[in-house]
Amino acid sequence: MPALRLTVAALGAGADEAEPFFEGPCLGELRNDWPGEVGVRFKVEQAFAVLSLGRFVAGAAAGQTLRQAVSVTLWGPAGHVAEAKAAADAGAVLAAVDVGPASCLKDNYAFEMLGAQVVLEAGKEYRLTQKCSPGMTDPWLDGQATLEQATAKSNTKFASFLGGAYNLFGGFPSFEDGDLCRFGMVNFEIAPIIASVSLEAEALSVRALKLRIEELTGLPPLQQQLVFGGAALSDGCSLAECGVRDGSYVQLAVQSAAFLATASDDGTARLWDVSEGHCLRTLEGHTAAARCVHFS
């Protein structure tokens, strides 16, 4: 049995490569007359990591920002209405952040990065809500999309938009109020899963993890920067020393690097790390002297 199973996803919270779930023009009327948790439900089609949570900014097109910070909450796999209390008691909150005037603006949304990213599983339904109150300063979006609009303006590669969800008394949003309702009210940013990695007990080091990622993706360790819990992982450390445990989520940033390739009379070619001055790989197989090299 593998001693450690990890999920590796792209590092990019707040960066241009992050993909929002809702895209394009927003639909519906503005309102601010409900209390409680109000938002949407969606089904995950392909596993991904959630980097940040966001909410609609009514005046974004005119350069306006939010005037009040309110919480946006991602809820775990949804049960039936009768199971709502049990779900809430079981800790259905996967992530929650306050989104407000200081949050990062992108198109029609303000996003706040999660302290610890969350991986959502394929085939399961999740819910995303914001805290609402009657007369709140920033109105929220309440519109209904057609199936064509929902398909064209949401990231269907990763998830399917289902409709609205709410709980006027707060807590788990167990109530549903219409298919494709409240399209684009709240939002989240996605990082695709790069690899699911298994390591044996004798290879539980950061270096071993990088070598395993290279096997799966072709990305050499020199260009991998691994991050866990907001801290970069050092090659000389064990995963346990870095706090990485079975089931952990590790982020991967791709670093630029300078390489040098050389040929030799002994029939080998070597790839060198220019910054460190050491040989990364020796390529063998020629029966005569190697006179030139070519990158492809």
Side-chain angles (χ1 to χ4, degrees):
M1 290 289 292
L4 197 65
R5 295 170 297 276
L6 307 173
T7 298
V8 181
L11 177 63
D16 292 339
E17 61 266 27
E19 301 181 39
F21 176 54
F22 290 113
E23 304 169 328
C26 300
L27 306 168
E29 64 176 338
L30 299 176
R31 57 190 301 179
N32 64 346
D33 55 345
W34 276 24
E37 294 291 338
V38 184
V40 301
R41 49 197 169 89
F42 59 95
K43 180 181 178 182
V44 174
E45 304 294 342
Q46 175 182 315
F48 60 85
V50 177
L51 297 175
S52 61
L53 304 180
R55 63 187 182 107
F56 176 71
V57 181
Q64 298 179 18
T65 62
L66 295 171
R67 291 169 288 175
Q68 178 184 15
V70 302
S71 63
V72 177
T73 304
L74 176 65
W75 304 85
H80 298 292
V81 173
E83 300 169 355
K85 186 177 186 302
D89 291 344
V93 173
L94 297 180
V97 292
D98 287 337
V99 181
S103 299
C104 178
L105 285 176
K106 293 186 180 182
D107 297 324
N108 295 307
Y109 293 92
F111 288 98
E112 194 68 33
M113 184 177 65
L114 300 184
Q117 284 70 42
V118 178
V119 175
L120 304 190
E121 300 178 48
K124 294 187 176 181
E125 179 185 325
Y126 296 83
R127 303 189 177 197
L128 181 66
T129 62
Q130 73 170 56
K131 184 71 173 178
C132 293
S133 59
M136 65 187 298
T137 305
D138 300 299
W140 43 274
L141 193 65
D142 189 19
Q144 186 161 5
T146 65
L147 182 59
E148 291 75 16
Q149 289 170 330
T151 301
K153 300 301 181 181
S154 63
N155 203 327
T156 55
K157 175 182 176 182
F158 293 101
S160 297
F161 174 61
L162 299 177
Y166 70 96
N167 188 336
L168 299 182
F169 303 100
F172 183 77
S174 56
F175 300 98
E176 302 172 5
D177 59 341
D179 293 341
L180 305 183
C181 177
R182 227 167 278 124
F183 183 89
M185 175 187 173
V186 282
N187 208 346
F188 55 87
E189 290 187 302
I190 295 166
I193 299 297
I194 295 174
S196 295
V197 179
S198 296
L199 291 177
E200 300 298 334
E202 63 272 14
L204 300 182
S205 66
V206 174
R207 178 66 179 175
L209 175 56
K210 288 186 175 183
L211 292 173
R212 181 63 178 141
I213 293 172
E214 181 184 25
E215 291 177 10
L216 295 171
T217 67
L219 184 69
L222 180 65
Q223 290 187 265
Q224 298 178 34
Q225 181 176 16
L226 299 180
V227 176
F228 177 72
L233 304 186
S234 173
D235 281 10
C237 296
S238 70
L239 293 172
E241 289 174 325
C242 300
V244 179
R245 301 289 185 266
D246 187 36
S248 291
Y249 164 76
V250 177
Q251 297 171 294
L252 170 64
V254 179
Q255 301 184 117
S256 60
F259 300 108
L260 174 67
T262 60
S264 174
D265 285 343
D266 64 5
T268 64
R270 290 180 171 83
L271 184 65
W272 302 83
D273 170 12
V274 173
S275 61
E276 298 291 336
H278 63 261
C279 181
L280 298 172
R281 186 169 300 174
T282 299
L283 308 175
E284 301 175 332
H286 290 282
T287 57
R291 299 299 185 189
C292 65
V293 292
H294 175 71
F295 285 102
S296 63

